[in-house]
Amino acid sequence: MPFNLLKHAFILLFIALSLCLSLPGSAATHAAAKPGEWWNLPYPEPFDATTLSRQQSTIHVSGNRLVDNKGETITLRGVNISDPDKLVKNGHWEKAHFVAAKSFGANVIRVPVHPIAWRSRGGEHYLELLDQAVHWANELDMYLIIDWHSIGNLHTGLFQHPMYDTNLQETRGFWRTIAARYKGVPTIAVYELFNEPTKMGGQLGELSWTTWKAINEDLIDIIFAHDPSAIPLVAGFNWAYDLRSARENPIARKGIAYAAHPYPEKTRAPVAQKAADWEQTWGFIAKRAPLIATELGWMREGEPGAHVPVRDDGSYGPAIVKYLEKIGASWTVWCFDPDWPPQMIADWQYTPTEQGKFFRKEMLRMNK
């Protein structure tokens, strides 16, 4: 065969093979998995950021501040919602819920993902809910904090309640999945690695700061390997209240932030001295890294659901906001759900409670 004819034959064969490989249903195309065909399950895919309607600034860490793409300071002030799985089952997982939070002045929503909900719904289907949250928040120009909502001792594998049961392997897998899924998606601003570490007075075994620090640094490395632009958030002991061990032995990673849950009864100090206790126990960290009080709030004793450590006479609200503004910290109030105390809303008509009225007024004033 003449050389030119041979060359053209090879070209035609290459084109034919290329077309065949690109045709739906071809052998080279991944076959849809049938029940039980684990070998046909596809690899997880990243979130498609081109589906977002609004271009948002990526928030990142600069010294002890959260800043936008222009280097201007960003302060996040918003609300916690309840677990998306709960909201689905209650019939309230909808954009209207996010719109209501926006109407309270929130510029960020913290989304708590309980391990039991992640397992029971299945990661693939839970991600569908988080994808919806990203779209709704983006459309409203709000940011998200994804929170692995467990309470207990991740080192010993003992937890406060079965809904919080998890382990290191599942926790690593969760953050690997989340970081790979939402790489470079600016709407998700922060990853809160573990909600509330506690030993419960030794009932859950021992946990040193050295061990806890190493666990968090391991999780941060996994996240950064997938998404270097993410902001991991690290909590201290006593249900995310005590960061004193980080004073001399901070997390040895750049680009991270710290969490605090300063509920009113976490300190026995009178109102006039609460700020001094806050400063000593967790607030000092704001001088060296961004600090986000990802849970705060109060309710009066005797109200439905009132419990330690959230009971207060109402003086706590002005005091904690004043202090957080003084140190330049961000915050999200617990909880924008009428079932989970201390509640910000009394019903699904979004009637604000006492603390709901207070924090709504403050967010509308400060988040202009």
Side-chain angles (χ1 to χ4, degrees):
M1 179 182 293
F3 177 78
N4 285 342
L5 290 177
L6 183 62
K7 182 174 72 171
H8 287 305
F10 274 115
I11 292 173
L12 289 172
L13 179 61
F14 177 79
I15 293 172
L17 285 171
S18 299
L19 288 172
C20 180
L21 289 172
S22 65
L23 287 174
S26 69
T29 302
H30 197 286
K34 297 176 183 177
E37 290 186 350
W38 47 265
W39 59 90
N40 271 329
L41 292 174
Y43 278 89
E45 294 184 355
F47 179 86
D48 185 1
T50 64
T51 62
L52 296 177
S53 60
R54 182 187 295 269
Q55 187 174 11
Q56 291 177 286
S57 177
T58 299
I59 298 178
H60 58 276
V61 171
S62 177
N64 67 340
R65 299 178 300 141
L66 298 176
V67 299
D68 62 15
N69 290 339
K70 298 178 181 178
E72 297 178 356
T73 299
I74 292 276
T75 304
L76 300 173
R77 305 180 188 92
V79 303
N80 286 263
I81 57 173
S82 51
D83 193 297
D85 185 66
K86 175 202 182 283
L87 289 168
V88 169
K89 292 169 181 175
N90 289 165
H92 296 290
W93 182 247
E94 53 193 352
K95 183 181 176 181
H97 194 46
F98 284 53
V99 171
K102 179 80 171 182
S103 74
F104 272 58
N107 62 13
V108 64
I109 290 178
R110 181 178 183 246
V111 182
V113 179
H114 290 69
I116 193 171
W118 176 258
R119 288 191 300 271
S120 63
R121 182 168 287 271
E124 179 183 355
H125 297 296
Y126 206 109
L127 288 173
E128 294 172 358
L129 302 183
L130 295 182
D131 287 353
Q132 289 177 314
V134 171
H135 278 108
W136 295 336
N138 176 266
E139 290 165 11
L140 295 165
D141 198 19
M142 303 172 75
Y143 289 93
L144 297 176
I145 297 171
I146 304 297
D147 155 47
W148 185 234
H149 202 81
S150 180
I151 302 177
N153 188 338
L154 192 55
H155 172 60
T156 60
L158 299 175
F159 301 91
Q160 184 170 300
H161 186 277
M163 75 175 104
Y164 305 125
D165 285 355
T166 185
N167 54 49
L168 271 171
Q169 181 178 357
E170 182 180 52
T171 301
R172 291 183 181 116
F174 174 80
W175 286 119
R176 178 193 180 196
T177 298
I178 295 296
R181 177 76 164 189
Y182 300 109
K183 176 183 178 180
V185 178
T187 307
I188 297 183
V190 180
Y191 294 153
E192 191 162 357
L193 303 182
F194 190 89
N195 172 51
E196 289 186 345
T198 179
K199 298 179 285 186
M200 289 184 64
Q203 295 178 28
L204 304 182
E206 287 304 309
L207 176 61
S208 69
W209 175 256
T210 300
T211 299
W212 181 236
K213 177 176 177 285
I215 288 173
N216 280 276
E217 289 170 352
D218 174 53
L219 295 174
I220 292 166
D221 290 343
I222 291 170
I223 289 172
F224 280 169
H226 291 87
D227 187 1
S229 67
I231 302 176
L233 189 63
V234 179
F237 294 151
N238 188 12
W239 289 268
Y241 184 73
D242 190 348
L243 283 167
R244 287 176 295 178
S245 296
R247 186 187 298 273
E248 301 300 330
N249 193 14
I251 300 296
R253 298 294 183 273
K254 295 181 179 179
I256 67 109
Y258 290 88
H261 293 180
Y263 287 112
E265 291 180 286
K266 289 286 186 73
T267 173
R268 302 289 182 181
V271 175
Q273 299 174 18
K274 283 185 185 293
D277 183 79
W278 293 333
E279 176 70 20
Q280 179 183 14
T281 311
W282 51 269
F284 68 90
I285 206 79
K287 295 176 182 176
R288 63 175 69 167
L291 176 70
I292 308 177
T294 48
E295 286 189 27
L296 67 156
W298 88 92
M299 60 194 308
R300 293 183 184 267
E301 188 171 4
E303 291 183 320
H307 63 283
V308 175
V310 305
R311 300 171 301 179
D312 187 75
D313 61 5
S315 59
Y316 161 86
I320 191 67
V321 167
K322 180 180 179 180
Y323 178 71
L324 292 171
E325 289 305 297
K326 175 184 175 182
I327 64 174
S330 297
W331 44 269
T332 53
V333 186
W334 189 276
C335 179
F336 205 64
D337 188 299
D339 300 327
W340 286 8
Q343 304 94 329
M344 288 189 71
I345 53 176
D347 50 47
W348 286 111
Q349 286 69 52
Y350 296 100
T351 305
T353 60
E354 180 185 15
Q355 74 152 350
K357 291 178 182 177
F358 172 77
F359 286 114
R360 180 178 64 179
K361 179 189 70 174
E362 293 300 301
M363 287 189 292
L364 288 171
R365 177 177 66 87
M366 292 187 284
N367 286 345
K368 293 180 180 179

